[in-house]
Amino acid sequence: MATIYDIAKAAGVTAATVSYVLSGKGSISQATREKVMRYASELGYRPNLIARSLIKQETHTIGLVIPHIINPFYAGIAETVERSAYARGFRTMITNTYEDERLGAELLEDLAARRVDGIIALPGGLSFSAIQSMIASGLPVICCLWEEEEGQEVSLAVGLDFKRGGQLVAEHLLGLGHRRISVIVDVKANGRIDHHLRFTGCQEALANAACPLDAALVSNGDSSLESGEAAAHQLLHLPNPPTAIFATNDLMAIGAMVAAWKLGMRVPADLSIIGFDNIALAPFTSPPLTTINVDRDRLVKLALDLLLSIIEGKQLEPPPLLAPELIARASTAICPASR
């Protein structure tokens, strides 16, 4: 690999002159700059980014920690972060926790050891203590789309008003005349509800409309297609089954649609189904899925703005929660009993 000394020898200048030209510094004549750049190109020179990062104490690299890139929602976030960061002169290192908190803590330490300039962390496999420890070490970490437990707050966060999203779901289904409304919610092995704000928003809106959520109509999933299908299969075999299902993410909602199809039910003629996230697949299901939209581009821009401002030594206030939007499609319709 060519070095600045090779370029200097070929161009007949000093190594210091080559260094100034390559860094864009110094009072070097245009003719000398052009000659140095020509020889650098001919010799196939590539800058030593590792050495440069050690000198400047910056790598122009950010870390992105997500639970599962196989989930289209997180894959979409990863693609948007990578594309947006690249446009702003940064590369992205993407890691998956697989919802394992021990692995998540190791990944944070690994990213710090690789000298990333900052981290965007999505929930699932990351503990608050691991996040706060990393922030305390001086590495900027932006928490993105966390549904914090009550009483716990993340100081640097960009998020969505998940509770309002759950309320929008309930209002939509109630407006269509549904009263037997069920919820498939992501619940972890330890019993912790992962989507508790969207669940709580829906539950409270139903209670406020004098239509309290029946505990028998709540089923657990794990945000996967398979769990959505299994949960819906159970709900639809109840003596008095629901007329509408709210799955707290789109994959479980699509799984519920599969369960209905296997049971010979028509969506939405016999059963309305609504999801949450608005993944790229949602408009292309059969029928197209009604869901709550998360403005991915806006979310990523806010997260990057906040992270890069901290990296540059600026202080910005975390932005207010993004407002969710209900996207009504053909998977929800007037309750059969109301027709």
Side-chain angles (χ1 to χ4, degrees), residues 306-330:
L306 187 57
L307 180 61
L308 298 186
S309 72
I310 296 168
I311 290 171
E312 293 167 1
K314 303 172 186 175
Q315 291 298 324
L316 290 182
E317 287 295 318
L321 295 175
L322 288 178
E325 176 191 12
L326 187 136
I327 307 294
R329 299 193 180 103

Side-chain angles (χ1 to χ4, degrees), residues 81-101:
V81 168
E82 186 175 47
R83 174 169 43 81
S84 301
Y86 182 79
R88 299 176 70 168
F90 282 76
R91 301 295 187 269
T92 307
M93 294 183 66
I94 302 169
T95 59
N96 293 259
T97 65
Y98 305 105
E99 303 200 37
D100 180 336
E101 288 194 356

Side-chain angles (χ1 to χ4, degrees), residues 129-150:
S129 59
I131 292 288
Q132 297 294 1
S133 175
M134 194 57 53
I135 293 173
S137 75
L139 184 65
V141 181
I142 304 301
C143 292
C144 190
L145 288 177
W146 285 53
E147 292 186 55
E148 306 93 60
E149 295 293 342
E150 186 175 354

Side-chain angles (χ1 to χ4, degrees), residues 17 22-23 32 76 82 98 110 113 139 179 222 240 263:
T17 297
L22 295 176
S23 64
T32 300
E82 186 175 47
Y98 305 105
D110 183 65
L139 184 65
R179 295 298 179 268
D222 62 10
N240 187 11
L263 292 172

Side-chain angles (χ1 to χ4, degrees), residues 279-302:
I279 61 174
L281 182 63
F284 300 99
T285 57
S286 182
L289 181 65
T290 296
T291 186
I292 298 295
N293 182 54
V294 179
D295 188 341
R296 190 171 64 232
D297 289 342
R298 177 66 177 159
L299 184 85
V300 168
K301 182 184 184 303
L302 290 172

